[in-house]
């Protein structure tokens, strides 16, 4: 993969490389000597990761005793684990480091931090999340950047369903990395509540037939496997049930909707924890994602208007932060500086 990207860069000689969380591309750009911009979900800066990467003890550790610890102690543990996590295989990537070094890669940081050590690291998120934190010399917090709603109307069946008897409205959408058991649990939860729920069932996650088996004859649940304009539907809902992917989280913030969430990965847990710390979300650990816990979290968000108030505050913050303009300016400034044109 390194070979293929290096060959492409040498053949095309672009003025700038813009890439996502693909370490091979960072290695190749450094080997060929081409300016580069990388999108990362968090600052790929060792001191930041050691101090701030984890907001809570990761669910994947499955330490039952941790769930019973006071919040303060959990916070201390998460800071300690953030220091240790840089030594994990995810950040070290020894096989990839060896392959890169065989090609002459000699970054002093022989790990993922070195692979993403390019001109600019763009983190497309709310700047307020990083206030007072040392994010490193190459990282720029450039504001949220996600697919804004196209000019597509909400499907009539969804609009009609949400326009029902005045019951609270819940939108369930777990995105591409959601897992079936968690989505089915969410369906079980809303099917037994006094609410009107719309549930997106991606075919690669769960079939409509299996989802219907969980919803039963509950007339308050609308299941769909069609494309749904998520920001617009989020805006119609009182609460959303989501996983913690950055785009899914930012879509809920864009809509001003409080969320109940479950993270599939460490980074997704952190995305949800940031909202929970502000007061617009409840994150349920994977091991505790049960029908009763999901219902309890929904009831809490629906009955306490403070959560919606915070969600609207975050919405205003997002709307006032033009991530598209900030990102474009940063990339253009780098391109102008490296080309020497001053354009």
């Amino acid at each position: 993969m390194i070979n293929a990207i290096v060959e492409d860069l040498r053949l095309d000689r672009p003025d700038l490389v813009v890439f996502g969380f693909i370490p091979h591309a960072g290695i190749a750009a450094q080997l060929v000597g081409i300016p580069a911009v990388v999108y990362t979900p968090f600052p790929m800066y060792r001191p930041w990761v050691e101090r701030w990467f984890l907001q809570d003890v990761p669910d994947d550790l499955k330490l039952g005793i941790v769930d019973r610890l006071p919040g303060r102690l959990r916070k201390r543990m998460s800071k300690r684990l953030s220091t240790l996590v840089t030594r994990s295989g995810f950040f070290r990537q020894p096989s990839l480091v060896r392959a890169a070094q065989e090609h002459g890669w000699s970054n002093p940081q022989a790990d993922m931090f070195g692979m993403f050590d390019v001109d600019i690291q763009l983190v497309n998120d709310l700047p307020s999340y990083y206030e007072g934190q040392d994010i490193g010399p190459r990282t720029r917090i450039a504001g949220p950047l996600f697919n804004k709603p196209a000019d597509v109307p909400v499907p009539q069946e969804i609009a009609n369903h949400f326009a029902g008897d005045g019951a609270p409205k819940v939108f369930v959408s777990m995105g591409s990395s959601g897992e079936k058991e968690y989505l089915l649990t969410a369906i079980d939860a809303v099917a037994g509540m006094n609410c009107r729920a719309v549930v997106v069932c991606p075919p690669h996650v769960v079939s409509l037939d299996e989802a219907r088996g969980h919803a039963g004859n509950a007339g308050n649940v609308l299941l769909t496997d069609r494309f749904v304009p998520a920001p617009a539907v989020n805006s119609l809902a009182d609460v959303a049930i989501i996983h913690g992917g950055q785009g899914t989280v930012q879509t809920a913030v864009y809509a001003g909707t409080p969320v109940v969430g479950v993270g599939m990965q460490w980074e997704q847990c952190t995305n949800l924890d940031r909202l929970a710390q502000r007061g617009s979300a409840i994150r349920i650990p994977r091991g505790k994602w049960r029908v009763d816990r999901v219902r309890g979290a929904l009831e809490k968000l629906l009955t306490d208007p403070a959560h919606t108030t915070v969600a609207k505050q975050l919405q205003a913050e997002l709307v006032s932060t033009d991530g598209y303009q900030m990102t474009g300016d940063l990339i253009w400034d780098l391109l102008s500086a490296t080309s020497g044109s001053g354009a």
Side-chain angles (χ1 to χ4, degrees), residues 157-188:
E157 61 174 348
I158 293 177
N160 292 342
H161 187 71
F162 271 165
D165 54 15
K169 300 180 286 294
V170 180
F171 179 45
V172 183
S173 176
M174 290 199 167
S176 58
S177 63
E179 296 177 15
K180 180 164 72 173
E181 65 176 292
Y182 301 95
L183 182 55
L184 292 177
T185 297
I187 292 172
D188 290 338

Side-chain angles (χ1 to χ4, degrees), residues 80-292:
R80 177 60 181 155
L81 286 168
S82 287
T83 301
L84 296 174
V85 81
T86 59
R87 302 171 203 169
S88 69
F90 172 78
F91 282 99
R92 289 191 302 109
Q93 294 290 331
S95 298
L96 190 51
V97 167
R98 283 196 300 273
Q101 289 174 340
E102 287 172 9
H103 285 76
W105 184 66
S106 59
N107 193 292
Q109 298 186 92
D111 53 19
M112 286 269 276
F113 295 103
M115 296 172 196
F116 291 121
D117 185 23
V118 296
D119 297 84
I120 295 179
Q121 298 174 3
L122 285 177
V123 178
N124 289 108
D125 218 336
L126 286 174
S128 63
Y129 293 157
Y130 302 90
E131 285 179 0
Q133 301 175 14
D134 179 10
I135 59 173
R138 298 184 186 275
T139 306
R140 302 290 183 272
I141 309 301
L145 191 69
F146 65 102
N147 287 328
K148 283 189 175 179
D151 189 15
V152 177
V154 173
Q156 197 58 50
E157 61 174 348
I158 293 177
N160 292 342
H161 187 71
F162 271 165
D165 54 15
K169 300 180 286 294
V170 180
F171 179 45
V172 183
S173 176
M174 290 199 167
S176 58
S177 63
E179 296 177 15
K180 180 164 72 173
E181 65 176 292
Y182 301 95
L183 182 55
L184 292 177
T185 297
I187 292 172
D188 290 338
V190 296
M193 288 184 64
N194 176 30
C195 70
R196 301 191 71 79
V198 171
V199 183
V200 177
C201 302
H204 68 280
V205 176
V206 65
S207 69
L208 274 181
D209 286 341
E210 189 171 0
R212 288 184 184 117
H214 278 254
N217 296 318
N220 67 319
V221 179
L222 173 65
L223 304 172
T224 180
D225 61 358
R226 295 171 52 195
F227 167 79
V228 170
V233 179
N234 259 284
S235 298
L236 296 177
D238 297 302
V239 175
I241 298 179
I242 63 174
H243 76 311
Q246 191 179 54
T248 306
V249 167
Q250 289 182 3
T251 297
V253 174
Y254 177 85
T257 308
V259 302
V260 175
V262 56
M264 302 290 116
Q265 304 151 13
W266 290 14
E267 172 250 334
Q268 294 177 1
C269 292
T270 296
N271 293 335
L272 291 167
D273 283 336
R274 287 198 180 105
L275 294 187
Q277 287 165 6
R278 295 286 288 267
S280 70
I282 295 175
R283 180 177 74 83
I284 300 175
R286 290 184 64 155
K288 293 187 177 294
W289 187 257
R290 302 188 302 267
V291 170
D292 60 329

